[in-house]
Amino acid sequence: MSIRTLDDLLAEGVSGRRVLVRADLNVPLDKQTGDITDDGRIRAVLPTLGALVEAGAKVVVCSHLGRPKGKPDAQFSLRPVAGRLGELLGAPVHFATDTVGDSARSTVEGLVDGQVALLENLRFNAGETSKDEAERGAFADQLAAFGDAYVDDAFGAVHRKHASVYDVPARLPHVAGRLVLREVEVLSKLTSEPERPYVVVLGGSKVSDKLAVIEALLPTVDRLLIGGGMCFTFLKAQGLEVGTSLLEEDMVETCRNLLERSSGKIMLPVDVVVADAFAPDAAHDTVRVDGIPSHRLGLDVGPETVAGFSAALSQAKTIFWNGPMGVFEMAAFAAGTRGIAEAITKADAFSVVGGGDSAAAVRALGLDESSFNHISTGGGASLEYLEGKALPGIAALEN
Ligand SMILES: Nc1ncnc2c1ncn2[C@@H]1O[C@H](COP(=O)(O)OP(=O)(O)O)[C@@H](O)[C@H]1O
Ligand SMILES: O=C(OP(=O)(O)O)[C@H](O)COP(=O)(O)O
């Protein structure tokens, strides 16, 4: 990969230079209080930001948060993130209340060497995500004016062809930050001759998003374990009834086709936890997959499934896991996710967890993060990388 790195930039000297850093500070917020519920993505960019601060750069950080619709929307403000970032860096972060307006200009102008500013949410500007190149380019011009160099450390967003990810590096000397480099280094081990058996565990809720990755991974993996909300479309494809479980009816045929071509590599649950409703206190029971009552919905995989999946994982030498096995946010339906996570940590394998919710599950269930070789900050990004798709953010750094 012919990409210049943060070390190359540091070697040139950044003291007194303005360095624009694209980070992915898209952290989950509590819906009621607005508090940050998981600061993993903020911690993940500290190595890059710390190195720039230490080298005396004027550091201008930009990020998106959530999916606001191209105009300011207070619930998606990055202000709380500026506070948390300042605590973690041990120095206040100067927060600009707009992204490229007067506040941003004066905040950037006011920075002294070794200080950090955070611009307001990039997606408060329609130009950030626009499909129109000229509109994106005009916004990229405004952003690029805040930097003498650009660092991409937003691994979670490298699969987005957005102004701050794709167009700004065309306008400034550009390098990859420490997080982006580490993510690509680890994920490339999974695409180039992984040690076998290579077992992939997929769960979560969006079958349609993940079918392409299943298709791409089938020839490469030895075992593909499918749980979470997405398993029900596969169970339906096997001719089973799934009650009121999550089901993507228009994907049933594709799933049937995938099962036929999978040479037995795909393992599906044999038992599931079914509930009366999607609620933490709903009455629930464990049933076999051929006995799901028509009025109930599956919210977790059952203990026999955990045992079967764990046996497959115990043989593995390489593991990639994306997507919770059940609705782990509700204690009654967290056992499957916990069981699989524990099986991964016990396996004598190189293990990678990818996906915002999967990484949050590891932390929320109190599991030891260091038992995994790598916890990726990007869900969509890591899946697209494994699919072998060209990632706009990486391509832009190669140019
Ligand atoms: N059986 C299920 N029914 C409904 N939702 C589920 C089920 N199992 C898991 N989920 C939900 O899937 C969500 C995560 O899905 P997804 O976004 O695809 O994962 P990731 O962000 O790790 O890629 C979690 O919020 C979890 O509650
Ligand atoms: O949370 C993210 O993606 P992820 O949930 O796939 O890990 C990234 O911040 C990208 O956000 P986006 O999917 O709104 O472009």
Side-chain angles (χ1 to χ4, degrees):
M1 184 172 56
S2 58
I3 287 181
R4 296 183 73 242
T5 68
L6 183 67
D7 285 335
D8 296 326
L9 183 66
L10 293 171
E12 282 170 12
V14 291
S15 180
R17 290 173 77 192
R18 298 165 313 154
V19 179
L20 180 66
V21 180
R22 173 52 158 109
D24 180 355
L25 304 176
N26 182 21
V27 290
L29 300 175
D30 184 290
K31 284 195 180 65
Q32 258 85 50
T33 63
D35 291 343
I36 296 164
T37 54
D38 184 85
D39 64 4
R41 278 186 168 152
I42 308 179
R43 292 177 182 275
V45 291
L46 293 177
T48 289
L49 298 185
L52 287 167
V53 165
E54 201 171 309
K58 295 171 178 169
V59 187
V60 182
V61 184
C62 60
S63 174
H64 71 282
L65 177 78
R67 291 181 173 174
K69 304 265 177 296
K71 54 182 192 322
D73 183 343
Q75 62 172 318
F76 296 115
S77 172
L78 278 167
R79 189 184 278 284
V81 173
R84 185 73 190 118
L85 180 58
E87 283 167 19
L88 292 168
L89 283 170
V93 165
H94 302 260
F95 182 65
T97 56
D98 57 29
T99 321
V100 289
D102 290 344
S103 174
R105 267 191 297 277
S106 62
T107 305
V108 174
E109 275 164 23
L111 284 179
V112 300
D113 298 357
Q115 284 188 337
V116 178
L118 175 64
L119 307 178
E120 184 53 288
N121 196 333
L122 290 158
R123 294 186 185 171
F124 285 1
N125 305 267
E128 168 67 358
T129 57
S130 177
K131 298 246 183 308
D132 181 274
E133 285 206 15
E135 193 183 10
R136 261 198 349 258
F139 181 58
D141 284 339
Q142 291 178 292
L143 269 178
F146 293 145
D148 303 308
Y150 169 88
V151 178
D152 185 359
D153 218 22
F155 180 74
V158 289
H159 59 317
R160 301 291 179 219
K161 194 174 178 179
H162 292 169
S164 63
V165 177
Y166 185 73
D167 304 276
V168 173
R171 290 160 166 79
L172 288 175
H174 47 265
V175 301
R178 300 230 197 282
L179 176 65
V180 163
L181 275 185
R182 164 116 182 97
E183 294 266 19
V184 170
E185 196 180 284
V186 172
L187 292 172
S188 67
K189 286 192 191 160
L190 300 184
T191 48
S192 59
E193 303 185 9
E195 204 182 334
R196 293 181 181 284
Y198 176 19
V199 179
V200 170
V201 190
L202 287 180
S205 46
K206 301 166 207 145
V207 189
S208 42
D209 281 10
K210 295 182 187 179
L211 279 179
V213 80
I214 294 177
E215 180 91 40
L217 284 176
L218 262 183
T220 326
V221 302
D222 298 298
R223 269 284 155 91
L224 185 54
L225 317 181
I226 298 179
M230 63 189 292
C231 74
F232 298 99
T233 308
F234 281 91
L235 293 173
K236 182 86 181 174
Q238 284 191 321
L240 298 170
E241 286 312 320
V242 296
T244 56
S245 306
L246 202 74
L247 176 67
E248 292 196 38
E249 197 78 62
D250 51 347
M251 293 293 158
V252 171
E253 197 46 48
T254 314
C255 289
R256 187 174 296 131
N257 188 272
L258 275 170
L259 284 170
E260 275 165 13
R261 291 188 290 116
S262 75
S263 328
K265 287 178 180 179
I266 295 181
M267 264 179 98
L268 293 171
V270 291
D271 59 349
V272 288
V273 180
V274 291
D276 287 346
F278 189 91
D281 55 356
H284 56 276
D285 297 288
T286 301
V287 297
R288 309 222 29 106
V289 287
D290 58 2
I292 301 176
S294 59
H295 63 288
R296 303 189 95 182
L297 75 168
L299 294 181
D300 197 8
V301 296
E304 261 194 63
T305 302
V306 171
F309 283 12
S310 299
L313 288 164
S314 71
Q315 309 285 314
K317 285 287 172 219
T318 305
I319 298 171
F320 177 76
W321 170 35
N322 167 268
M325 292 293 100
V327 184
F328 72 95
E329 297 93 335
M330 303 179 191
F333 312 110
T337 303
R338 178 185 291 282
I340 294 309
E342 284 175 353
I344 295 173
T345 62
K346 282 187 197 137
D348 179 21
F350 179 76
S351 59
V352 179
V353 182
D357 285 297
S358 315
V362 166
R363 290 185 278 264
L365 297 173
L367 297 162
D368 182 6
E369 289 180 58
S370 64
S371 316
F372 299 88
N373 289 86
H374 183 66
I375 299 186
S376 175
T377 53
S382 60
L383 288 175
E384 289 200 19
Y385 185 92
L386 293 185
E387 274 174 58
K389 279 193 182 164
L391 302 173
I394 303 290
L397 295 177
E398 280 167 345
N399 293 331

